Amino acid sequence: MEKMNVLGIETSCDETSAAVVRNGCEVLSNVVLSQAHLHGPYGGVVPEIASRSHVECLPSVIEEAVQNAGISWSDLDAISVTYGPGLASSLLTGLSAAKGLAVRLSKPLLGINHLKAHIYSAFLGKTGYKIEDAYPFTALVVSGGHTCLVRVDGGDKYKLLGQTIDDAAGEVFDKGASLLGLGYPGGPAIDKVAREGKRDFVDFPRGRQKKMIKRMKGLRLDLCFSFSGLKTALLYYLRDNPPASKDIISSIAASYQEAIVDVLVDRCEKAVGASERLVVGGGVALNSRLRMRLTEFAAKKKVELLLAEPQYCGDNAAMVAGLAGSGSGKTVDAFEADVVPNLSVEI
Ligand code: KG4
Ligand code: ZN
């Protein structure tokens, strides 16, 4: 097979990333520059700061990706870039850089859907297992910006089954960690302290689906998520029971994490039948308790579980270049395209 080297660029949120992936699966380089230290003091991503930092850092991140891949610019066959969903000003930085590069190198420019790239991330680094071999499957995307279940029947057949009506799972981790005084980003912090805690210390609520009915037209209500009640429950719990020790904070964090994980696993159990396939990607897929619970569920129901490898869970450009080079999905001509901050997974 002829070698096809694709450069990927990802700037949809607060990671500046560039990667080179060969033939959709062989990751030659994947440079990810996190901006977490810039947003930490604000407890969440500040769009202005994110886009400014992308502008500053992207050129050197792209150069490093090509250098680490051990190829020259002329060895690139295509440029790919995330054009949505994400923060408008951050997406624009990546798209503009990608357009400039593609013109300069006279290469095609492929626009990639960030949610589909998260789904594709589960196929990176798995030699011999192509996304085409996995259709049909159900995918769970759990990140700081999105929480949804998607049915994938083919490269151009993505159907949204259910999604969150309020916060994304990653946001719930981040806001919970902030209330617990554990810092930002909250997911890794809660994951770490929860290992020492008692998961049944506090009985937190597990979502309120009845409220969803009107807003979730066309989706399966039993596959939708709601986390706002959980966040409020933590706020009131901490107000009424100020934790007096690190051990107690660990147990509250473990109980809070368990409530999030319970809801995520419950929806997967409802969406995926015995002997079917479940694909999981996104930053929250790094969560050790979620990985364990999904693995247990898969073993019990004989479900084939494809969990993205840890280095491809958070935002990264390898998943963008991988999807672009796999030939498996719909891409847009990004010379024509503008950024689409609310791009649906179905497009
Ligand atoms: O996929 P991602 O890098 O960015 C988005 O597309 O949003 O996900 C970032 C989110 C953050 O909310 C972060 O707290 C969460 O993923 N996260 C985790 C863990 N590591 C990162 N959540 C739970 N447990 C973790 N170990
Ligand atoms: Zn993401």
Side-chain angles (χ1 to χ4, degrees):
M1 186 167 70
E2 211 181 308
K3 285 175 183 158
M4 162 96 169
N5 298 320
V6 179
L7 175 75
I9 296 174
E10 159 63 47
T11 61
S12 67
C13 191
D14 64 338
E15 263 88 23
T16 313
S17 181
V20 179
V21 177
R22 181 169 289 168
N23 298 334
C25 59
E26 202 186 326
V27 181
L28 302 186
S29 66
N30 187 27
V31 181
V32 183
L33 195 71
S34 167
Q35 301 176 357
H37 62 288
L38 299 177
H39 303 288
Y42 304 94
V45 178
V46 183
E48 272 282 311
I49 295 177
S51 54
R52 226 177 300 154
S53 179
H54 287 312
V55 169
E56 275 170 30
C57 302
L58 187 57
S60 55
V61 166
I62 294 173
E63 271 193 48
E64 198 180 331
V66 174
Q67 225 169 55
N68 289 359
I71 60 168
S72 60
W73 295 100
S74 57
D75 294 327
L76 290 172
D77 299 293
I79 315 288
S80 60
V81 61
T82 304
Y83 74 103
L87 300 169
S89 50
S90 289
L91 289 164
L92 255 178
T93 316
L95 183 60
S96 311
K99 280 183 181 171
L101 254 181
V103 169
R104 172 71 182 80
L105 299 171
S106 304
K107 301 292 177 192
L109 180 58
L110 309 171
I112 293 293
N113 182 318
H114 182 74
L115 294 171
K116 291 181 184 176
H118 269 307
I119 294 171
Y120 189 80
S121 70
F123 297 92
L124 283 176
K126 293 190 172 61
T127 34
Y129 199 155
K130 292 202 161 76
I131 192 168
E132 289 94 338
D133 304 328
Y135 301 139
F137 61 81
T138 302
L140 172 71
V141 179
V142 263
S143 71
H146 298 92
T147 300
C148 56
L149 274 160
V150 184
R151 173 80 184 169
V152 185
D153 287 319
D156 55 355
K157 293 192 187 101
Y158 286 66
K159 167 106 182 73
L160 183 64
L161 301 175
Q163 66 182 1
T164 181
I165 65 155
D166 38 57
D167 292 336
E171 268 179 287
V172 188
F173 273 105
D174 293 337
K175 288 177 185 165
S178 157
L179 291 173
L180 287 162
L182 295 172
Y184 176 87
I190 289 187
D191 195 348
K192 191 166 165 223
V193 302
R195 283 171 212 189
E196 317 295 327
K198 296 191 186 91
R199 294 191 290 268
D200 58 357
F201 189 73
V202 188
D203 184 16
F204 284 119
R206 263 69 174 157
R208 301 197 182 120
Q209 284 169 284
K210 277 192 190 130
K211 278 192 176 171
M212 299 177 187
I213 291 168
K214 276 194 194 136
R215 293 168 52 188
M216 294 290 106
K217 248 186 171 169
L219 301 183
R220 271 182 58 183
L221 294 179
D222 62 335
L223 301 185
C224 287
F225 309 82
S226 169
F227 294 110
S228 60
L230 171 60
K231 242 173 30 196
T232 312
L234 176 62
L235 179 72
Y236 289 151
Y237 182 86
L238 291 173
R239 184 194 62 189
D240 299 339
N241 309 274
S245 70
K246 272 193 170 171
D247 285 351
I248 294 184
I249 291 181
S250 296
S251 290
I252 300 171
S255 307
Y256 184 75
Q257 172 176 272
E258 200 63 10
I260 302 171
V261 170
D262 261 355
V263 172
L264 295 173
V265 174
D266 171 82
R267 304 303 186 267
C268 290
E269 284 179 354
K270 289 185 172 122
V272 184
S275 307
E276 292 182 358
R277 251 175 233 117
L278 174 63
V279 168
V280 185
V284 179
L286 277 170
N287 185 265
S288 57
R289 183 70 185 148
L290 178 62
R291 292 179 89 88
M292 183 187 291
R293 290 277 308 276
L294 286 172
T295 305
E296 283 168 6
F297 152 67
K300 205 168 103 197
K301 287 284 173 65
K302 299 203 168 25
V303 161
E304 187 185 349
L305 178 65
L306 284 137
L307 272 173
E309 287 183 10
Q311 71 266 37
Y312 304 128
C313 283
D315 285 349
N316 69 90
M319 65 186 190
V320 175
L323 177 56
S326 72
S328 65
K330 221 164 54 178
T331 53
V332 301
D333 176 353
F335 282 119
E336 303 296 323
D338 201 351
V339 299
V340 185
N342 61 353
L343 184 66
S344 154
V345 72
E346 296 184 346
I347 291 169

